[in-house]
Amino acid sequence: MNASLTLSNHVRWHLRCERLCASVEGPAGTEESWTRVMALKLVHRFPQLSHFSIQRISVGPARLLSTSRQSLCVACLCTSAGRCIRRQGCLRLQSNCGIRSLTTTIVREPSFVASSSVGLHRDSVPRFQLTLLHRPTAAEEQGFQQRLGICSSSRQVFKLLHSVEIISDTMAAAALHRVAEVEQEDNALRDPTVLEKDTVRALCFQLEQDSARLTDGGLVSALLACTRLYLDPWSTLMVRLVSESQTRLDRGQMSVDELCTLGQAMLAIEGPGGVMLEQVMEEIQRQKPAQWSLAELVAVYKLLQGILGEDGKYRDLLNAMHTHTMTVTSRMDPAAVSGLLSALVTLNQTQAMPLVISLCKQAVRHVPYFTDEELTDVLGALMHFGHSDHYFVKAMEKYVPTMAFTSHPETVSKVMQFFGRRNILSPTVFDAVAESFVYRADDYSSSQVAQQIVAFGKLGYLPPNAGQMFGKVETILRTRFSHFQPRTLLNLLHACILVKRFPVNFVSKVFSSYFLQQLQEEDTIIERSVLAQLTQIYITVKLECPSYEGPRLLPKYRVKSFLMSGRSLETPVDPHLYNSVKAGLVDLLGDRQYFGSKVLTPYCYTLDVEIKLDEEGCVLPASHVDEVYKRIALCIDGQKRFTTNKRQLLGKEAIKQRHLRLLGYEVVQADPLGWREQTRPRPGGS
């Protein structure tokens, strides 16, 4: 069979593959070798023979059969690939072959009899004995799973396997899963040589030999475990497991949980467009979500998350699942809450806001019990859907001080990103993170450093240890400047000026032609919001750092107004509030001509209302240019200009008012709570 065929199509020809073994042409080696190989194939094809006192078939060290031009190993003869199915070649043909080329052919075969359970003997080379008479009890399986869960290395997993008398197929698959979990690192195995361990090879060999006698759950779990160990999809073991899974799938008797496990395995092998995966989804769609258990619901969500099918392809299924999930959220554990929220983000289920809100309420109970990864997913989902719950925030305020020094850097950064994105100012959270930042800053990546400082700048908050924290930021910038991506660096420096921390030592680098060229390479055309940040840094240096003598920002990189659609550096005035204030001003001043609206200043800021006074304090018409003694900037500050939970201006609004004062304006705030004039003194006057 052509090697380019997909595995799901290949397995339909699996029984024909064995017949090809008998028709290999060319020198066959010794008669003894041929007899041993044929005996092995016979037992593969007719497992019933193992009932008739065939306790052991010893083929010794596998000798190679030759075709006209290429030698094939015994494992290769079990498929019709027409080539060696191992990625690095046969183990017998190469002494230094890659580990991921593992198949289940071993030097000395274990003994076996018909069964659905595996007995592990305490020999130097692991051997498995199958029996239908002594399957582990439910309590024994549960105890094994608990002990397996605390294994932190492959060696501990192997030691556990050698300590038990009998293991079932599901226990064997679980052991392989645990090996994958402890060895996985960045989509690869940290120590690929673990696949050459006798215990792993013996387990794989037994699963291959008895694939037809495995339970449905054990079969699909073993297949998924093999994909997590990155075994070659064309290996004999994988082909046999997929072939048997196809047979079981065609019967239509798999449970939803088993279908999802099989779907995850085929997703890893063939991707979202596989024929077998499509058949799995057809079977799942025939089921009624209202009758599914909580575990089955979570499993289907995760499978759909991996598939990411065509838009609307599974809309009816998802809607039915959302409806049923609403009724069981109160019973969800931390892993289920996190998993579902993550799936809803990936599937972009914006119409499922009632479910998101329900999951957020359940998350409140689990905040102290989420793992770092789970909490990161929960916070990411709440930001994605634009939702935050008062009780969730309170729970975070209790939890963050206990985790800021110990949790994963990405989790701490995600916490700050969540509070910043949702405009929630919590001194408890911000102070705890600021304190931990001083001690843990070296653990953070450049993007994680920026995420934390950006939150402080956006909400305009300075913690009690601001001096230490920003001193640490300066040290990081000095030692790791080249590690920052241009946009990340710009966001960090802009956040600093929002809270009156002026990175003068680094401004010259930002205004350099080299840095500006890097920005342009990132986006081809520099976005207007980025130019606005550059312009505001330039204005800040000009107004607040008169001693700066470095390069200036060229005019072509400056904007004329900070008020723009999208990521604006100013919050547009609330129309309803503006109309209310305008009516009051007309009554107060007597005519509309005595004040201007949405006035653009030479320094890029837009005034909600501008009132001009002469030297005697009389109001001048808005069109008047000469003899203006005082200008009043009336800031009509609606709720969007403040943090959501406190009456504190956002950082971008605070810097605007600060700069307007430096430019000579008398700044007056108008908000729903009434008029109030700012009492901060202006430069050079009362």
Side-chain angles (χ1 to χ4, degrees):
M1 182 178 292
N2 193 302
S4 64
L5 293 179
T6 62
L7 189 57
S8 58
N9 291 330
H10 176 75
V11 296
R12 299 180 183 276
W13 297 81
H14 179 60
L15 294 180
R16 298 185 184 180
C17 298
E18 295 185 353
R19 296 192 183 99
L20 294 179
C21 298
S23 62
V24 175
E25 297 179 356
T30 65
E31 180 179 355
E32 179 185 6
S33 174
W34 177 263
T35 304
R36 289 171 178 168
V37 173
M38 287 299 99
L40 175 58
K41 300 307 160 193
L42 187 62
V43 176
H44 287 177
R45 182 71 185 276
F46 302 104
Q48 298 86 345
L49 293 177
S50 58
H51 288 286
F52 297 94
S53 301
I54 304 178
Q55 298 296 321
R56 178 179 178 82
I57 298 177
S58 177
V59 298
R63 299 179 183 175
L64 303 179
L65 301 176
S66 300
T67 60
S68 57
R69 290 190 178 183
Q70 182 182 15
S71 296
L72 297 179
C73 63
V74 173
C76 297
L77 293 174
C78 296
T79 73
S80 56
R83 60 177 174 82
C84 181
I85 57 180
R86 308 172 190 232
R87 296 182 182 177
Q88 304 288 336
C90 304
L91 289 178
R92 300 301 175 193
L93 298 178
Q94 296 186 25
S95 59
N96 60 343
C97 66
I99 298 307
R100 293 196 195 173
S101 65
L102 173 75
T103 62
T104 58
T105 303
I106 58 176
V107 175
R108 188 172 48 167
E109 291 182 27
S111 59
F112 60 91
V113 293
S115 78
S116 62
S117 299
V118 184
L120 183 62
H121 293 267
R122 298 180 182 84
D123 294 337
S124 58
V125 177
R127 299 173 185 170
F128 297 92
Q129 188 176 49
L130 303 177
T131 172
L132 290 169
L133 303 178
H134 302 291
R135 187 175 178 86
T137 64
E140 288 173 337
E141 289 214 23
Q142 184 178 6
F144 177 83
Q145 295 282 3
Q146 291 174 348
R147 294 167 63 189
L148 192 63
I150 62 176
C151 291
S152 57
S153 67
S154 299
R155 181 175 297 182
Q156 292 178 357
V157 175
F158 301 153
K159 184 177 180 181
L160 174 61
L161 286 170
H162 282 269
S163 70
V164 295
E165 294 290 340
I166 298 293
I167 63 173
S168 65
D169 53 356
T170 52
M171 292 164 67
L176 293 178
H177 276 288
R178 190 57 185 166
V179 171
E181 289 167 3
V182 299
E183 293 293 342
Q184 257 185 356
E185 185 177 61
D186 298 330
N187 297 321
L189 294 182
R190 183 169 52 248
D191 177 20
T193 61
V194 72
L195 299 181
E196 288 299 308
K197 301 298 182 183
D198 290 333
T199 304
V200 173
R201 297 175 68 186
L203 271 177
C204 291
F205 182 86
Q206 196 64 62
L207 292 170
E208 173 191 336
Q209 299 303 302
D210 294 280
S211 58
R213 292 189 294 277
L214 301 176
T215 63
D216 288 352
L219 174 67
V220 296
S221 182
L223 178 59
L224 180 59
C226 289
T227 66
R228 297 180 67 194
L229 290 169
Y230 306 103
L231 299 190
D232 187 350
W234 290 97
S235 66
T236 311
L237 169 62
M238 294 284 278
V239 170
R240 285 185 181 275
L241 293 179
V242 173
S243 176
E244 185 60 33
S245 297
Q246 180 69 68
T247 301
R248 311 282 182 94
L249 180 61
D250 291 340
R251 294 174 186 166
Q253 297 178 353
M254 283 188 176
S255 68
V256 172
D257 189 56
E258 291 163 353
L259 287 169
C260 289
T261 303
L262 176 58
Q264 293 286 4
M266 297 313 301
L267 186 62
I269 295 172
E270 294 186 322
V275 176
M276 205 165 161
L277 179 59
E278 189 70 25
Q279 187 179 350
V280 167
M281 288 308 305
E282 290 174 359
E283 286 292 323
I284 290 176
Q285 290 181 91
R286 292 192 183 100
Q287 312 287 334
K288 295 181 179 179
Q291 299 176 354
W292 294 349
S293 67
L294 179 56
E296 290 172 333
L297 270 172
V298 174
V300 177
Y301 271 115
K302 288 184 177 180
L303 179 58
L304 289 171
Q305 180 182 13
I307 294 175
L308 277 178
E310 302 169 8
D311 292 340
K313 186 174 183 180
Y314 302 112
R315 183 179 302 165
D316 293 340
L317 174 63
L318 280 167
N319 289 338
M321 290 168 61
H322 297 337
T323 301
H324 181 46
T325 305
M326 287 285 293
T327 66
V328 297
T329 51
S330 60
R331 295 191 281 112
M332 289 186 179
D333 60 13
V337 171
S338 172
L340 258 66
L341 282 172
S342 178
L344 292 175
V345 170
T346 306
L347 296 168
N348 197 28
Q349 295 294 290
T350 53
Q351 81 284 3
M353 279 306 299
L355 177 56
V356 172
I357 294 171
S358 181
L359 289 169
C360 182
K361 291 180 179 179
Q362 182 66 5
V364 174
R365 306 178 186 178
H366 298 318
V367 164
Y369 310 108
F370 283 124
T371 64
D372 286 348
E373 184 178 358
E374 290 168 351
L375 182 58
T376 299
D377 288 341
V378 169
L379 294 172
L382 294 180
M383 284 189 286
H384 176 84
F385 290 109
H387 178 69
S388 54
D389 182 274
H390 170 74
Y391 296 102
F392 181 81
V393 171
K394 290 296 182 185
M396 289 295 294
E397 288 180 329
K398 292 181 179 179
Y399 178 59
V400 171
T402 69
M403 56 78 79
F405 286 86
T406 57
S407 289
H408 192 279
E410 182 61 25
T411 305
V412 178
S413 302
K414 190 67 73 173
V415 168
M416 294 303 292
Q417 192 179 17
F418 168 76
F419 278 86
R421 188 79 62 84
R422 300 298 300 154
N423 290 338
I424 301 170
L425 177 57
S426 171
T428 302
V429 170
F430 279 51
D431 292 350
V433 172
E435 185 178 357
S436 69
F437 182 87
V438 175
Y439 295 95
R440 301 190 60 191
D442 293 336
D443 297 335
Y444 298 129
S445 66
S446 56
S447 62
Q448 291 166 349
V449 170
Q451 284 175 352
Q452 297 188 38
I453 302 305
V454 164
F456 284 94
K458 185 178 181 184
L459 302 189
Y461 180 74
L462 281 174
N465 69 333
Q468 290 178 298
M469 186 180 77
F470 283 95
K472 197 69 177 179
V473 171
E474 185 173 0
T475 300
I476 292 173
L477 285 172
R478 188 169 57 251
T479 58
R480 288 196 270 162
F481 188 88
S482 61
H483 296 181
F484 285 84
Q485 294 296 319
R487 289 287 297 274
T488 302
L489 177 64
L490 185 60
N491 289 335
L492 172 58
L493 298 182
H494 184 258
C496 290
I497 68 168
L498 295 180
V499 288
K500 296 195 290 187
R501 289 299 185 270
F502 311 117
V504 179
N505 296 332
F506 307 99
V507 168
S508 60
K509 296 182 179 181
V510 171
F511 291 163
S512 69
S513 58
Y514 174 72
F515 181 82
L516 295 173
Q517 184 179 0
Q518 285 184 308
L519 278 177
Q520 195 162 353
E521 287 177 355
E522 277 191 345
D523 302 320
T524 305
I525 299 176
I526 303 179
E527 293 180 7
R528 195 154 177 261
S529 60
V530 174
L531 294 177
Q533 286 181 309
L534 287 168
T535 305
Q536 193 165 48
I537 292 176
Y538 169 72
I539 291 176
T540 300
V541 171
K542 192 173 181 179
L543 292 176
E544 303 190 67
C545 306
S547 61
Y548 173 75
E549 297 180 352
R552 307 285 176 171
L553 183 67
L554 296 176
K556 68 178 181 178
Y557 294 111
R558 303 177 200 169
V559 297
K560 294 182 178 180
S561 173
F562 291 140
L563 190 62
M564 61 187 73
S565 59
R567 297 176 57 190
S568 176
L569 297 188
E570 291 185 83
T571 306
V573 64
D574 181 89
H576 299 291
L577 186 56
Y578 169 76
N579 290 332
S580 176
V581 171
K582 183 177 70 172
L585 285 174
V586 171
D587 290 341
L588 178 65
L589 302 178
D591 198 289
R592 174 67 181 81
Q593 67 169 327
Y594 289 110
F595 62 91
S597 299
K598 299 180 181 179
V599 178
L600 179 63
T601 70
Y603 278 76
C604 309
Y605 294 107
T606 300
L607 306 180
D608 299 331
V609 172
E610 182 186 40
I611 301 174
K612 300 175 181 178
L613 303 177
D614 62 15
E615 192 171 358
E616 296 179 357
C618 296
V619 179
L620 299 172
S623 59
H624 204 80
V625 177
D626 300 327
E627 299 179 358
V628 177
Y629 178 75
K630 180 183 290 188
R631 297 173 186 266
I632 296 176
L634 181 60
C635 298
I636 306 175
D637 295 329
Q639 181 57 48
K640 291 184 178 180
R641 295 183 179 181
F642 296 91
T643 59
T644 56
N645 59 329
K646 294 184 181 295
R647 207 70 189 163
Q648 173 162 319
L649 284 173
L650 296 175
K652 64 181 180 180
E653 301 302 328
I655 193 174
K656 173 183 176 179
Q657 296 187 15
R658 191 169 82 235
H659 284 177
L660 289 176
R661 291 190 186 91
L662 291 172
L663 292 169
Y665 286 91
E666 188 75 23
V667 178
V668 177
Q669 281 185 262
D671 61 44
L673 298 180
W675 294 79
R676 58 179 180 176
E677 182 174 351
Q678 299 301 294
T679 58
R680 299 175 187 174
R682 291 175 299 153
S686 59

